[in-house]
Amino acid sequence: MAKKKTKFVCQECGYESAKWMGRCPGCGTWNAMVEEMDSKAAIIPGTGLKIRDKHEKATPITQVEKLDQPRSDTGIKELNRVLGGGLVPGSFILVGGDPGIGKSTLLLQASHELAKRGLPILYVSGEESTEQIRIRADRLGALSENLLVASETNLTAIESLMDENNPKLMVVDSIQTVFHPEVMSAPGSVAQVRECTGTLMRWAKDRGMAIIIVGHVTKAGAIAGPRMLEHMVDCVLYFEGERHHTYRVLRAVKNRFGSTNEIGVFEMKESGLAEVDNPSEMFLSGRPVGAPGTAVAASIEGTRPVLIELQALVAPTSFATPKRMATGVDHNRVTMIMAVLEKRLGFFLQNQDAYINVVGGVRLDEPAVDLAMAISLASSFRDVSTSAHDLFIGEVGLTGEVRGVSRIEQRVAEAANMGFRRVVIPEKNRRGWTPPEGVELIGVHTLEEALRVALGG
């Protein structure tokens, strides 16, 4: 069988060359020539899929048969939640995260749980030997006859392993270490990652086998390699958290089989990752009482509310330009809230450094935490503490008004479960429902009213 040739194609104008060139002769762009497979057969570039001779006819959507795809329980409830209920056969999943965050640990635990149910699982590692995987498995208690491990980076050899064992799930750790023998680029290059991902995707769809690949991340936190990598897969999961903290958050940023708003919370222990059933209790543990600069907000993550503490520190600056730092929230949002406090409430913050932190390493993107952010900043600036039994929900507008938010009933119910006695919410959200017993709802129209309630003036 003749060896397939490769060619170099400019990603800007499509110019083709037999050799790599630093500058494209067609459009003059530097470093745009990327290696691709060059085959006589008609193949979709970057996927390895042959173009079919027969073309499908258009069908009315009402006549298209619905696919009933049973999901496999991974044995980890938090992982099932993020995936949308379980593992779908034939799905192609990408998991990314910082080094040492626990990606391999999570996947080995999930593989073991599936193997215990009698499913053949193939775990292929290009970064560790089988002896190293066994050491981790001993620590996690993930030992099963149905869990097959191999240390391999050659895609052809991985295909042979797959044909011999016919697994229901294959884990490839990581995609940047796997190489296609017919592509001359080094493992981890754009051409290798694209070709290997296309081949693995074809295997998953043709065989009805779920495949999970691990992807390295860049310094900026994005998955390394071409952006097309995330477009090709069915599901993209990010494993987040501070490496030196015990809590981890699994978040879906793309999911063709479920919601992208769900999160799974884990705690890293000596025996592996343990599920956190009540994230609110975990995020509020160790909360200081009577300390200025703290406020609790209720955020909706997927289908469940989570109570999270925001901490602020406002201190006089020794520089001409004050410093603004935010961890866990949008920096621009913090700047906007501080501008509202200055303009609408008369806070003089131009000579103050400001630091905002979301406790627990979670990132909050919804505007419902604006009110808690403003309260924590004002509390630190005035050096007046908020009550330990107060919770704040609401979006702050540029005119200083407090606007309504969605799913207020669930947020307040979670606050009642965690023992909060007073909840400050937008006045608009007070109408049309009955709050739980033991919880006092205080409706406010403006940020000034909320500050009078929270700080007493």
Side-chain angles (χ1 to χ4, degrees):
M1 181 177 177
K3 184 178 180 180
K4 294 181 181 179
K5 296 181 179 180
T6 60
K7 61 183 178 181
F8 293 87
V9 181
C10 176
Q11 301 303 296
E12 297 293 332
C13 67
Y15 181 88
E16 297 183 7
S17 172
K19 298 186 299 181
W20 181 84
M21 290 181 287
R23 185 179 184 182
C24 173
C27 63
T29 304
W30 286 93
N31 298 322
M33 305 293 287
V34 175
E35 186 180 21
E36 293 182 0
M37 300 292 295
D38 185 13
S39 177
K40 297 297 182 182
I43 291 180
I44 302 175
T47 64
L49 300 175
K50 293 185 178 180
I51 299 176
R52 293 178 294 181
D53 295 332
K54 294 183 179 180
H55 298 280
E56 287 191 3
K57 296 181 179 180
T59 305
I61 193 170
T62 55
Q63 300 178 14
V64 177
E65 296 182 3
K66 293 189 293 184
L67 294 177
D68 186 14
Q69 296 179 314
R71 297 177 182 263
S72 300
D73 183 7
T74 63
I76 303 176
K77 292 186 296 183
E78 294 296 302
L79 179 58
N80 288 339
R81 178 193 297 272
V82 177
L83 290 174
L87 201 61
V88 177
S91 60
F92 193 28
I93 301 170
L94 172 64
V95 179
D98 293 332
I101 205 71
K103 302 184 296 297
S104 300
T105 299
L106 174 65
L107 296 180
L108 189 58
Q109 288 184 227
S111 299
H112 171 62
E113 293 294 334
L114 290 168
K116 286 198 305 185
R117 291 168 170 76
L119 299 177
I121 309 298
L122 178 60
Y123 189 99
V124 180
S125 176
E127 301 177 345
E128 297 177 302
S129 65
T130 53
E131 291 78 12
Q132 290 174 304
I133 301 174
R134 173 59 192 261
I135 293 174
R136 180 187 287 116
D138 285 333
R139 177 171 57 86
L140 302 177
L143 300 175
S144 175
E145 292 294 329
N146 292 321
L147 178 55
L148 309 174
V149 297
S151 179
E152 186 58 67
T153 57
N154 190 324
L155 196 62
T156 304
I158 294 175
E159 184 178 17
S160 300
L161 291 171
M162 186 176 57
D163 293 335
E164 293 172 5
N165 301 286
N166 193 25
K168 294 298 182 182
L169 167 67
M170 183 171 69
V171 178
V172 179
D173 185 8
S174 64
I175 189 62
Q176 275 82 9
T177 63
V178 179
F179 69 93
H180 197 296
E182 295 174 353
V183 179
M184 302 307 295
S185 300
S189 64
V190 172
Q192 285 284 7
V193 171
R194 183 169 55 186
E195 191 66 31
C196 293
T197 303
T199 303
L200 290 170
M201 181 182 67
R202 186 185 70 233
W203 292 349
K205 303 307 178 185
D206 291 347
R207 299 168 184 254
M209 168 187 63
I211 296 180
I212 301 178
I213 61 175
V214 177
H216 294 171
V217 295
T218 62
K219 291 182 179 180
I223 294 179
R227 192 68 176 180
M228 188 179 66
L229 179 65
E230 298 186 33
H231 290 287
M232 294 172 68
V233 300
D234 297 317
C235 184
V236 180
L237 307 180
Y238 275 91
F239 211 31
E240 305 171 350
E242 295 294 334
R243 184 175 181 180
H244 302 292
H245 289 72
T246 59
Y247 297 113
R248 306 285 189 267
V249 176
L250 183 66
R251 186 187 304 273
V253 297
K254 174 186 178 181
N255 192 355
R256 290 173 178 163
F257 306 110
S259 172
T260 57
N261 296 320
E262 295 287 358
I263 65 168
V265 184
F266 299 88
E267 182 180 4
M268 180 65 79
K269 296 183 177 180
E270 184 66 25
S271 58
L273 289 165
E275 300 175 70
V276 177
D277 295 326
N278 191 343
S280 298
E281 183 179 358
M282 180 266 290
F283 289 130
L284 295 180
S285 62
R287 179 187 172 210
V289 178
T294 68
V296 179
S299 175
I300 294 292
E301 298 290 344
T303 58
R304 63 182 175 186
V306 179
L307 305 188
I308 299 174
E309 178 190 0
L310 285 87
Q311 293 185 341
L313 177 62
V314 179
T317 183
S318 56
F319 301 99
T321 303
K323 184 179 293 186
R324 307 281 188 257
M325 293 187 64
T327 303
V329 290
D330 185 15
H331 176 272
N332 294 326
R333 199 79 185 173
V334 175
T335 305
M336 187 201 78
I337 295 296
M338 295 187 68
V340 173
L341 289 171
E342 283 198 274
K343 180 69 175 180
R344 306 301 177 190
L345 282 84
F347 282 57
F348 189 75
L349 302 173
Q350 298 176 11
N351 61 347
Q352 303 286 321
D353 289 335
Y355 306 87
I356 284 278
N357 177 48
V358 179
V359 178
V362 181
R363 177 154 190 87
L364 303 178
D365 295 321
E366 66 167 342
V369 301
D370 286 355
L371 184 57
M373 193 188 312
I375 295 294
S376 64
L377 287 166
S379 172
S380 178
F381 179 72
R382 290 184 176 178
D383 201 24
V384 178
S385 61
T386 60
S387 172
H389 302 288
D390 287 358
L391 185 134
F392 307 95
I393 306 171
E395 177 184 355
V396 176
L398 292 178
T399 61
E401 82 279 12
V402 179
R403 308 178 68 89
V405 299
S406 62
R407 300 168 70 175
I408 190 67
E409 298 93 336
Q410 292 177 266
R411 301 176 197 259
V412 175
E414 181 69 11
N417 292 336
M418 295 302 299
F420 286 88
R421 301 171 190 164
R422 207 167 60 156
V423 181
V424 180
I425 64 173
E427 180 65 34
K428 177 183 177 182
N429 287 126
R430 290 189 61 187
R431 300 188 294 268
W433 64 288
T434 303
E437 293 185 4
V439 176
E440 178 189 0
L441 289 185
I442 301 178
V444 295
H445 294 90
T446 64
L447 180 56
E448 185 178 4
E449 294 179 26
L451 286 177
R452 283 200 298 265
V453 172
L455 305 178

